[in-house]
Amino acid sequence: MTQASLAQAADPRKPWTDPAAQPFVRIEAVTKKFLDFTAVDAVSLDIYRSELFCLLGGSGSGKSTLLRMLAGFETPTSGRIIIDGQDMTDVPPYERPINMMFQSYALFPHMSVEQNVAYGLKQDGVPKADIARRVAEMLDLVKMGSFARRKPHQLSGGQRQRVALARSLVKRPKLLLLDEPLGALDKKLREETQFELMKIQQALGITFIVVTHDQEEAMTLSSRMGVMNHGHIVQVGEPHDLYEFPGSRFVAEFIGSVNLFEGTLVEDEPDHVRIESPDAGCTLYVNHGISSAPAQQVEVAIRPEKIRLSRQHPGQTDNVSAGVIDEIAYMGNLSIFQIRLNSGKMIRVTRPNLDRYDEMPLQPKEPVFCSWGPASGVVLSA
Amino acid sequence: MMRRRSTSLKVLALTGFAFLYLPIVTMVVLSFNESRLVTVWSGFSPKWYGELLQDDQILGAAAISLKIAFISASLAVVLGTLAGFALSRFNKFRGKVALTGMVSAPLVMPEVITGLALLLLFVAMEGLLGWPKGRGVVTLIISHVTFCMAYVAVVVQSRLADMDGVIEEAALDLGARPWRVFVDITLPMIAPALVSGWLLSFTVSFDDLVISAFVSGPGYSTLPMVIFSKVRLGVSPEVNALATMMIVVVGIGVVLFTWNAARLHRMRQREERAAAAGL
Ligand SMILES: Nc1ncnc2c1ncn2[C@@H]1O[C@H](COP(=O)(O)OP(=O)(O)OP(=O)(O)O)[C@@H](O)[C@H]1O
Ligand SMILES: [Mg+2]
């Protein structure tokens, strides 16, 4: 939890926990309007050196626009962008110590792989011999050394993506912006590449800002992530924090799946709250307090994997609700249960498939008890 | 069924092509007629071609036409590229829509009107500025550039519209200044369009009669003008030979243009496939 991590001594790998740390990229109240449409709305964000920061959000939420302002292709309507202590707001893209990997790769179609990667170094007047060496090194790093002479149209999607990555890394930028870097890859290649990307980022120590609309990818890659919606940054935090402690219904639903119960606050103590929820068919007990007036309408979010299923009543008075299994979907590593609670509400529960063979597996139409612990729920006030 | 359909298609196509090319074929054949009487065939002879090469008026006109077509096409490519680039790559500026329409207007303007307007302009300019002196090669070139440039601008603009602007942004991002981006990235990528534009301009300029007739002066007749004035005195085998040679020149231009357009088309498809794979 955020308060908890603040209380700890500042972790050098987590500079954002240290109030004295200087951010490397500082986005100050940046707004971008296209005519009268606001694509990015008063976004403020601090990103620290060597972070791998993921910007997550639905289509049209303003991720690419924010990235394009960092790269210098769009000028903010208002606000400032400061990178490594320098105000970059009005610096043209070719003078920024930043490189970008584009959503569509944007390789130069008339140049070979080698020439594509060398292009940026040539612009800086790097000596020929150095260019050749650095290009070769970089192509080896992305495992494209044997394709140096090919043209982009002779490469597969995954290979193009590697060339684009090499081209954006070869100038050793202070900051690398990646717009949906793995968008074109199939699931398996995508997962492999995610880990490679993380390895490369750690090896080179470059600060990465990665845009994605794939929440799993963001969770895997990032040191911290920011969730965007309608041009706003809704929440920023470590993947674990965002998953376990979403601050709003939007974040809870956007990252992973979640069961939401409406209810009325009946007990509001510093160390716990009780919520009467006809929706859930029981009293919800959450063991961390919230700061709000009593009798307020709230929502409680509970992740599907935190709910236990049992044939017998688990013996607790709160956080238990009876229902009937509606459907079971076998996913290999886990099974997803759709359960109709006696209140009429449908909820989703996941269970890992620990054993290959279950003596008495739960069956559809079977009545079950759903229960969860006091630390499993999150109270959302919005 | 299929077969019958394809034969009837063939017949249709043949009729169409015959309609298009029969007059030209007739003229080419008659240009090898030995007789001076155009309609009486008296045997094969290339002699009219030999005579053409003796005719100073025709040789002079051919030289002028080729020179004007070459210079006009080259200037039109430069100016048309800049216009096409400005219209498709600069951010919205005031009057952009109007300008886009106006660039292609010369393509649909009746030639008589364009010619007359240019003539009036040249006369007025000569009166006010003393330039261009009289009418001749300079006025011909200026006039040809105006309408050729429109062709180039349209070709370039449509090529740039297909081309993803992100590729140019990628070059900017890698540290290239806008001028370098234009030279290194934009120009090579639109090169086939420039070749197309040049060939198109060359043939259009080489062919032009109406506008040229308005803006050229004595002693500066282009080839189409010479043919036209000769035909008024009666069609001769010599004119047929001359026209045949013009067809050869224009034909080469058209073949190159078509070949280049096919190449451009393949390139576009490749880019589309690449873009589809990248998204
Ligand atoms: N040049 C522009 N002119 C007008 N509107 C624009 C422009 N660029 C982006 N927008 C609008 O701004 C909004 C945000 O676009 P943006 O490209 O940042 O979305 P995104 O979060 O990257 O989405 P995706 O996941 O689909 O890539 C969209 O509604 C888009 O239509
Ligand atoms: Mg985007």
Side-chain angles (χ1 to χ4, degrees), chain B residues 14 32 65 101 165 199 215 246 257:
Chain B
L14 277 177
F32 290 101
S65 271
L199 288 167
V215 299
M246 271 194 76
F257 176 79

mmCIF file of all heavy atoms in Angstrom, chain B residues 14 32 65 101 165 199 215 246 257:
data_model
loop_
_atom_site.group_PDB
_atom_site.id
_atom_site.type_symbol
_atom_site.label_atom_id
_atom_site.label_comp_id
_atom_site.label_asym_id
_atom_site.label_seq_id
_atom_site.Cartn_x
_atom_site.Cartn_y
_atom_site.Cartn_z
ATOM 1 N N LEU B 14 -11.388 -5.679 -78.527
ATOM 2 C CA LEU B 14 -10.787 -5.413 -79.839
ATOM 3 C C LEU B 14 -11.461 -4.235 -80.523
ATOM 4 O O LEU B 14 -10.790 -3.356 -81.074
ATOM 5 C CB LEU B 14 -10.892 -6.658 -80.723
ATOM 6 C CG LEU B 14 -9.785 -7.687 -80.491
ATOM 7 C CD1 LEU B 14 -10.014 -8.919 -81.350
ATOM 8 C CD2 LEU B 14 -8.419 -7.060 -80.804
ATOM 9 N N PHE B 32 4.252 5.743 -94.961
ATOM 10 C CA PHE B 32 5.229 5.003 -95.763
ATOM 11 C C PHE B 32 4.783 4.886 -97.229
ATOM 12 O O PHE B 32 5.316 4.092 -97.979
ATOM 13 C CB PHE B 32 5.435 3.600 -95.165
ATOM 14 C CG PHE B 32 6.167 3.645 -93.851
ATOM 15 C CD1 PHE B 32 5.483 3.524 -92.649
ATOM 16 C CD2 PHE B 32 7.542 3.836 -93.831
ATOM 17 C CE1 PHE B 32 6.154 3.580 -91.447
ATOM 18 C CE2 PHE B 32 8.220 3.885 -92.621
ATOM 19 C CZ PHE B 32 7.532 3.756 -91.422
ATOM 20 N N SER B 65 10.398 22.237 -79.675
ATOM 21 C CA SER B 65 9.435 21.460 -78.886
ATOM 22 C C SER B 65 10.136 20.600 -77.840
ATOM 23 O O SER B 65 9.722 20.550 -76.680
ATOM 24 C CB SER B 65 8.612 20.555 -79.808
ATOM 25 O OG SER B 65 7.482 21.263 -80.250
ATOM 26 N N GLY B 101 -7.548 23.111 -54.129
ATOM 27 C CA GLY B 101 -8.414 23.104 -55.294
ATOM 28 C C GLY B 101 -7.799 23.890 -56.443
ATOM 29 O O GLY B 101 -7.821 23.457 -57.594
ATOM 30 N N GLY B 165 3.114 9.925 -42.676
ATOM 31 C CA GLY B 165 3.949 11.012 -42.172
ATOM 32 C C GLY B 165 4.828 10.590 -41.011
ATOM 33 O O GLY B 165 5.828 11.239 -40.699
ATOM 34 N N LEU B 199 7.498 12.683 -66.709
ATOM 35 C CA LEU B 199 7.114 12.084 -67.991
ATOM 36 C C LEU B 199 5.772 12.631 -68.470
ATOM 37 O O LEU B 199 5.596 12.973 -69.643
ATOM 38 C CB LEU B 199 7.032 10.566 -67.853
ATOM 39 C CG LEU B 199 8.388 9.868 -67.722
ATOM 40 C CD1 LEU B 199 8.201 8.431 -67.277
ATOM 41 C CD2 LEU B 199 9.129 9.924 -69.051
ATOM 42 N N VAL B 215 0.769 31.892 -77.017
ATOM 43 C CA VAL B 215 1.885 32.575 -76.353
ATOM 44 C C VAL B 215 3.195 32.525 -77.132
ATOM 45 O O VAL B 215 4.198 33.043 -76.663
ATOM 46 C CB VAL B 215 2.133 32.014 -74.932
ATOM 47 C CG1 VAL B 215 0.897 32.226 -74.073
ATOM 48 C CG2 VAL B 215 2.520 30.549 -74.980
ATOM 49 N N MET B 246 6.189 11.935 -83.953
ATOM 50 C CA MET B 246 5.706 12.500 -82.680
ATOM 51 C C MET B 246 5.057 11.431 -81.829
ATOM 52 O O MET B 246 5.223 11.382 -80.608
ATOM 53 C CB MET B 246 4.682 13.608 -82.954
ATOM 54 C CG MET B 246 5.323 14.959 -83.118
ATOM 55 S SD MET B 246 4.088 16.251 -83.028
ATOM 56 C CE MET B 246 3.758 16.306 -81.286
ATOM 57 N N PHE B 257 5.887 6.006 -68.491
ATOM 58 C CA PHE B 257 4.972 6.449 -67.435
ATOM 59 C C PHE B 257 4.190 5.263 -66.869
ATOM 60 O O PHE B 257 4.062 5.088 -65.666
ATOM 61 C CB PHE B 257 4.014 7.498 -68.001
ATOM 62 C CG PHE B 257 2.970 7.945 -67.033
ATOM 63 C CD1 PHE B 257 3.273 8.870 -66.049
ATOM 64 C CD2 PHE B 257 1.689 7.428 -67.091
ATOM 65 C CE1 PHE B 257 2.315 9.274 -65.146
ATOM 66 C CE2 PHE B 257 0.726 7.833 -66.184
ATOM 67 C CZ PHE B 257 1.036 8.753 -65.214
#
